[in-house]
Amino acid sequence: MRRRLLGGALTALLLGVAACAGPDGSAATGRSPIETPRDLAAVAERLDLLSQRIGGTPRQRTAGEVLQYHAYQDPVRRCMAAAGHRYEPPPFVDPYRGRTVIHMGLGTGWWLAPLGGERLGVTDTAELAGPDPEQWPSAPADQESFQSALSGCIPVATPEVNFPPAYGPLAERFDRMVGRVSHDRRVRAAGAGYPDCMARGGFPVGNQPELFELISARRGDARPPAPGAPPDARWAALVAQERAAARRDAECRRPAWQAALRAVAPELAEFERSRRDDLAAVARQWDEMVRQAAAHPEFPAG
């Protein structure tokens, strides 16, 4: 699967958030610069919502995963039936269950990633995914024949259908926009103290992606608890460490985050204006994917 750049939307809030800013990206409060905490918060929310419009809501993302699951498993089921075997695919696991929002991810625009989250996406993602599903064939009479047929039925390649066609070009343009901001001299100057600040907190990293990798590497053999079960000591310690890392990151990254928001405001307004038709197209495609996924039992009602 290609790596996904962006995340889910609170689209009902979009117009209200967009109304907080003028056409040049500045707050519509009579002041031209983006200076006050309220101004910065409005730009941050507007940016996050744009990323979510492109990348889909949690429900839209789930729809995409359901369609991808069937794009892979249905041909296997048909092939196995033609070979005289009853094939039961592993259960569908929704990696977005329990999510109410999916923030834009790491990448070249990491200075702009939202501040203040309790985790970085290492442990909560693992807990949502749960244990890896296992394949349990329905007691085939001839296990050797079943496995031989299954090997021949596994597709060599499966088309990617879990994101709409309009997503890719928009995501690339969004990534380029936030990447340019991250290389702005004012943003880089504001973030110059980040490595030392993080090191003093016990996290020797130069940027947020490195922090994600550090916490991931410290996972070791710690495993998430089964649904409904309490975590063991190793997993609880990892979660506590990740939360401490997220708090430290927010403290150390805030100056550069604020500088990046000031720099991105005019680019954000231009992106929304120039890509209006593309944004409408990706919204229609996400809605169509939800409609298609609703025909499958794995897609949650609602």
Side-chain angles (χ1 to χ4, degrees), residues 2 4 53-56 60-61 64 67 160-171 278 281-289:
R2 59 187 175 188
R4 304 304 179 191
R53 289 177 72 190
I54 297 168
Q60 289 167 336
R61 287 284 193 101
L67 295 178
E160 291 192 4
V161 297
N162 55 337
F163 277 71
Y167 162 82
L170 274 173
D278 295 331
V282 79
R284 290 192 298 270
Q285 291 170 8
W286 277 120
D287 288 345
E288 174 60 18
M289 289 170 61

Side-chain angles (χ1 to χ4, degrees), residues 62-131:
T62 295
E65 292 303 315
V66 168
L67 295 178
Q68 192 67 54
Y69 172 84
H70 280 277
Y72 181 88
Q73 295 293 348
D74 290 356
V76 178
R77 192 196 301 268
R78 290 192 295 268
C79 178
M80 290 294 284
H85 293 284
R86 181 174 177 267
Y87 169 77
E88 291 295 335
F92 172 75
V93 175
D94 179 8
Y96 304 108
R97 74 182 186 275
R99 298 286 182 94
T100 58
V101 64
I102 306 173
H103 295 296
M104 64 179 176
L106 305 179
T108 58
W110 66 275
W111 286 122
L112 286 162
L115 297 182
E118 288 193 351
R119 304 193 195 184
L120 300 169
V122 178
T123 57
D124 54 346
T125 300
E127 288 172 354
L128 284 170

Side-chain angles (χ1 to χ4, degrees), residues 20-31:
C20 294
D24 63 348
S26 61
T29 60
R31 295 179 301 272

Side-chain angles (χ1 to χ4, degrees), residues 237-256:
L238 180 66
V239 170
Q241 185 174 89
E242 184 179 25
R243 286 177 171 159
R247 289 192 298 269
R248 189 70 180 182
D249 169 72
E251 176 184 344
C252 297
R253 190 161 49 88
R254 186 174 299 277

Side-chain angles (χ1 to χ4, degrees), residues 273-293:
R273 184 198 64 77
S274 63
R275 301 296 170 190
R276 185 178 295 111
D277 292 344
D278 295 331
L279 290 168
V282 79
R284 290 192 298 270
Q285 291 170 8
W286 277 120
D287 288 345
E288 174 60 18
M289 289 170 61
V290 169
R291 188 191 67 78
Q292 294 177 14

